[in-house]
Amino acid sequence: MATPRSLDDERPGRAAAAPATPSAATIPAQPGRRATGRSPWRRARGRLAAMPAVAWYVAVLAVLSATAAVVLRHTVFPLLSVNNDEGLYLLHARTLAEGRLFPPAPHPARSYLPWLGTVVDDHYVLKYTPFVPAIFAAGLIVTGSIDPSLAAVAAAAVIVTYLLGVELTGSRRVAALSATLLALSPLMLLQSAMVLSYLPALVLLQVTVLGVLRGRRRRQAWPVVCAGLALGVAASVRPYDVVLLLAPLAVWLAVSSTGRRWWLLRWLACGLAVPALILLLTNQAATGNPLRLPFALLEPDDRLGFGPRRLYPEDGRHVFGFTDGLRSVGDHLWLLGGWACGGVVLAAAAIAQAARRRLTAPAAMLGLGGLLFLVGYLGFWGAWNAAELWGGIRYVGPFYVVPVLIPLVHLGGWGCATLVSALLGRGRRVALAVISPVATAVLALTVVVLTGALRDNLTLTSHDRDLHAMINRMPGRPLVFVAASPRYLGHPTPVTANGPDLDSRVLYAVARGVDDLAVLADHPERAPYLLRLPPGYDRGPESSSAARLERLAVRQGDQVQMTITVGVPPTATRARSARLLLTAGTRQLSLPVDPRAGATVTLTVDADGLDPGDVAEVSGRTRPTMRAVPRGRGTSLTAQLRATDARGHEHTVDEQIVPVRIARDPAAAGSRGEPAVTVLGSVGQVAAVGTGTRPPLRIRLAAQPPAAPAEQPRAAAAVASIRKPSATAVGGR
């Protein structure tokens, strides 16, 4: 029986003997054609014709991956994904495309605050460095769309994986297998359609390894310079990932590159210089310190290590311990088994290949880097947040371990190729008997994971589509105040995000309190609305997507009445008691509420502040008690519904702020023709979408009697008068 051909026979430099060709001296010269050189077009055609079939396969695979990225973008993620960091990257890209480094921050700045942004002087500083946004800004500048950038990153991931595979294994077929495994991984497919840093970082990491190894082997400087450039950008984007994954390879290079150590370091430094300079300059502009990243500007407790952690200043403190780190890494690895094409099989094949000592030294160092990466992520609380507190990795994949795909597809693909070659040596029937069920199981698992992910994300997108359609049905150029937690735009849904110029047809602002009156006065031509989103909106396919839109109006006078309706909280069946807290400045009223029946109260807002006499019972048994609130500030009214569970733990079920402004001298306000009290409140619901738990609090201004003809001009001028300097505005509330 003929010996089967090994998969390792396709090695560069092992070309089969070419047929004899006549020498140049025996070819008669053709008149009119120069004997030296060919046109660039002919040279290009010659190179394409000389490409091996495997390279053509990888090129087609790259085109298909690029196409899939764009198609998924427009079908599954047309309004961005459940990972709200996408909106942050997209805003930064749009800002760069307009020729600015930072989005401008008009007054009041915190009313337009984007997700994970912070206010510095007259602009917003976003959390991440500008390198990845610049990739998408390039697409916006050239075509007005991010599609070319998504396609380019997806295609580059496939091509670079193939090239690095050739460098690591010496086999084009094994490298093509690694590229195929990456391209078919659900994690790669979904991340390729998102405006995030994980897939670009994977490309940059592989370019770094490829450039160093190729430049070292060929003694060429330019691949090492390219590696330094990629390393500098990758370290600026995800420095922790770079250190963990590449540390073993760097140590091996330092030890084994005798006589060329400083040569490598010199050319790497040449490539590193440009991104390092850009990073220092942008850090200086963003934080005032060239060595301080914007990441640390928002929240100092968002850092490595164990202990109390939080993502943004208003976030509650989460105690992160070693067991939490173990659980989060375990969750990521468990999901990676299905989100990587053949994840479990690849891991077993990689271990078998290493055990047989059939790995090259660079490949072994990448494998060690993958293990070090997982160990290092035990102390990274962001992975725990994504896996346990938020849970988004179940819908968009275990994105924090995307770099682990590099050693997984290369070493695992190599191990699989070796196994196939060994099985073919025993006969095709034996090989098919072993390979067919394994390949079928891998394909089935990949299809199941991908189908489930697409289904979940299409459900989440449908919720955002409904919300987007509801808001866009409003006539004219509406101003929508977003009441959600936390108080950022673009969270918990990317629908509520502005562009960098704040001049879209729909303008969004954070519902914050008295600052809402200033926002409304700045945009008197826009009709104001309030968008109420429930806590946990769209966190998952089964989460509440209920949202309602209410029309807002300004009421002014000596007194303004409103009705507060307390619906049954979603935890009513488990709640032992509930209460409604009304807070304004340093005073707080507490009203007991039946958690299974709710209540309705009428509240009178006047210049004297809160007192029990301002509350009139309409329904329910409400006996208000008042207490002083330490460090109270502002004049706006905050209504909180709090429930106590069977264990005695009290938590906030819903919260709403009603903007209230009180004149500095209420007694003399009437004589000056100024209102003592100005309130911006709801006059009724105009639309609602979604299913699930709805915000139980409803606050509505009391009906206003029709204005007499002589009073109509005065009523129409209410909005224009709400920013007079005689009014009190303290601390944004």
Side-chain angles (χ1 to χ4, degrees):
M1 183 173 61
T3 303
R5 186 179 181 183
S6 170
L7 290 176
D8 290 333
D9 288 344
E10 293 288 335
R11 293 177 180 270
R14 270 197 194 182
T21 56
S23 65
T26 63
I27 301 177
Q30 300 182 15
R33 175 177 294 185
R34 298 179 59 181
T36 58
R38 292 183 298 171
S39 67
W41 172 247
R42 287 181 176 273
R43 286 198 298 270
R45 288 182 60 185
R47 290 177 181 176
L48 290 175
M51 281 179 58
V54 175
W56 278 108
Y57 165 79
V58 173
V60 172
L61 185 64
V63 172
L64 292 176
S65 295
T67 304
V70 175
V71 170
L72 289 173
R73 183 68 190 173
H74 288 277
T75 56
V76 182
F77 304 117
L79 297 174
L80 307 184
S81 69
V82 71
N83 190 334
N84 294 133
D85 283 8
E86 268 202 280
L88 184 63
Y89 281 104
L90 185 58
L91 174 62
H92 206 165
R94 294 176 64 183
T95 303
L96 294 174
E98 293 184 0
R100 296 193 295 260
L101 186 59
F102 307 110
H107 178 77
R110 296 194 66 83
S111 293
Y112 307 100
L113 187 62
W115 170 239
L116 296 185
T118 188
V119 182
V120 176
D121 298 329
D122 60 348
H123 59 267
Y124 298 113
V125 174
L126 306 179
K127 188 174 182 179
Y128 303 117
T129 57
F131 291 94
V132 170
I135 297 173
F136 298 101
L140 291 171
I141 293 171
V142 175
T143 66
S145 170
I146 63 170
D147 290 352
S149 300
L150 291 171
V153 171
V158 173
I159 293 171
V160 173
T161 300
Y162 168 72
L163 295 176
L164 180 57
V166 173
E167 194 66 36
L168 290 173
T169 67
S171 170
R172 291 193 181 97
R173 290 187 177 184
V174 173
L177 176 61
S178 299
T180 304
L181 292 169
L182 179 73
L184 295 182
S185 295
L187 183 56
M188 154 77 179
L189 287 168
L190 264 68
Q191 288 297 313
S192 69
M194 298 182 191
V195 191
L196 294 171
S197 65
Y198 305 103
L199 196 58
L202 177 140
V203 174
L204 292 167
L205 286 166
Q206 294 201 90
V207 170
T208 300
V209 179
L210 174 63
V212 169
L213 295 181
R214 180 165 294 186
R216 180 177 179 267
R217 177 173 59 84
R218 296 182 177 179
R219 297 179 180 269
Q220 292 178 337
W222 69 266
V224 183
V225 173
C226 292
L229 181 65
L231 178 62
V233 176
S236 301
V237 173
R238 304 197 63 80
Y240 195 50
D241 294 3
V242 170
V243 171
L244 293 176
L245 189 69
L246 300 186
L249 182 63
V251 172
W252 174 79
L253 284 170
V255 172
S256 63
S257 301
T258 307
R260 283 180 287 173
R261 190 177 298 118
W262 293 111
W263 179 84
L264 281 173
L265 188 60
R266 180 173 70 251
W267 291 114
L268 270 175
C270 289
L272 275 167
V274 174
L277 179 61
I278 294 174
L279 181 65
L280 293 174
L281 292 176
T282 54
N283 284 350
Q284 177 66 39
T287 67
N289 183 344
L291 300 179
R292 187 184 186 191
L293 291 168
F295 193 94
L297 192 62
L298 178 66
E299 174 50 56
D301 282 340
D302 185 12
R303 63 181 189 273
L304 294 171
F306 305 107
R309 295 290 177 264
R310 58 184 179 183
L311 189 60
Y312 47 89
E314 298 81 10
D315 191 14
R317 288 184 178 270
H318 311 285
V319 180
F320 174 60
F322 180 72
T323 56
D324 298 316
L326 282 174
R327 187 162 60 250
S328 68
V329 172
D331 289 342
H332 279 77
L333 285 177
W334 172 259
L335 289 177
L336 190 63
W339 281 80
C341 183
V344 176
V345 175
L346 294 180
I351 294 172
Q353 189 77 353
R356 290 195 297 266
R357 298 183 180 181
R358 300 192 65 176
L359 295 176
T360 60
M365 294 304 104
L366 271 183
L368 287 177
L371 295 176
L372 181 61
F373 185 96
L374 296 175
V375 172
Y377 261 66
L378 293 175
F380 179 56
W381 92 280
W384 175 63
N385 180 40
E388 306 295 334
L389 303 184
W390 167 39
I393 62 173
R394 294 192 295 272
Y395 315 119
V396 293
F399 48 84
Y400 276 118
V401 293
V402 164
V404 178
L405 285 175
I406 298 174
L408 190 62
V409 298
H410 287 298
L411 276 62
W414 197 357
C416 289
T418 302
L419 176 62
V420 170
S421 296
L423 291 173
L424 287 174
R426 298 183 180 183
R428 292 185 179 274
R429 290 185 178 181
V430 174
L432 287 175
V434 175
I435 296 172
S436 295
V438 175
T440 302
V442 167
L443 183 61
L445 179 59
T446 301
V447 170
V448 168
V449 170
L450 182 59
T451 303
L454 293 178
R455 181 192 63 243
D456 291 342
N457 284 285
L458 285 171
T459 300
L460 294 167
T461 294
S462 69
H463 298 163
D464 283 338
R465 282 184 189 271
D466 294 341
L467 179 62
H468 185 261
M470 177 185 71
I471 295 172
N472 277 274
R473 282 194 296 266
M474 297 302 105
R477 292 168 58 83
L479 169 61
V480 178
F481 291 96
V482 182
S485 179
R487 294 192 179 97
Y488 291 91
L489 295 180
H491 190 283
T493 168
V495 171
T496 60
N498 293 319
D501 54 3
L502 299 179
D503 195 32
S504 302
R505 191 186 77 84
V506 180
L507 178 65
Y508 295 97
V510 181
R512 300 186 59 247
V514 73
D515 281 347
D516 298 356
L517 293 167
V519 172
L520 180 58
D522 285 338
H523 304 279
E525 77 287 356
R526 292 180 179 267
Y529 296 87
L530 177 68
L531 176 63
R532 296 276 284 124
L533 298 173
Y537 170 87
D538 225 17
R539 293 185 67 175
E542 305 301 325
S543 300
S544 173
S545 61
R548 65 172 181 256
L549 198 62
E550 302 176 14
R551 187 70 163 88
L552 298 179
V554 175
R555 294 280 194 269
Q556 295 179 320
D558 294 334
Q559 294 180 339
V560 176
Q561 283 192 336
M562 62 182 66
T563 301
I564 303 176
T565 303
V566 182
V568 177
T571 56
T573 56
R574 301 188 301 273
R576 187 172 66 187
S577 62
R579 59 178 179 151
L580 175 66
L581 294 180
L582 302 176
T583 308
T586 58
R587 299 181 183 180
Q588 185 177 80
L589 291 178
S590 177
L591 296 87
V593 174
D594 186 345
R596 293 169 182 81
T600 302
V601 300
T602 298
L603 179 69
T604 300
V605 179
D606 52 33
D608 298 335
L610 277 178
D611 59 68
D614 293 333
V615 177
E617 178 180 350
V618 177
S619 68
R621 298 180 178 180
T622 58
R623 297 179 181 178
T625 58
M626 190 173 74
R627 71 184 184 93
V629 179
R631 298 182 299 278
R633 59 190 179 92
T635 57
S636 294
L637 174 72
T638 300
Q640 271 189 339
L641 176 60
R642 298 181 65 83
T644 302
D645 58 26
R647 294 178 297 177
H649 298 156
E650 189 179 49
H651 63 279
T652 300
V653 177
D654 194 12
E655 178 179 294
Q656 187 172 347
I657 301 175
V658 180
V660 177
R661 175 171 288 164
I662 299 175
R664 295 184 185 279
D665 188 358
S671 61
R672 295 194 302 267
E674 299 173 2
V677 176
T678 301
V679 178
L680 176 64
S682 169
V683 293
Q685 177 177 304
V686 295
V689 293
T691 58
T693 303
R694 300 181 181 274
L697 284 179
R698 289 180 181 266
I699 303 177
R700 183 172 178 176
L701 297 177
Q704 189 176 34
E711 296 177 348
Q712 288 179 359
R714 181 177 178 182
V719 174
S721 66
I722 60 179
R723 293 192 69 185
K724 288 193 174 181
S726 60
T728 301
V730 182
R733 288 201 177 187

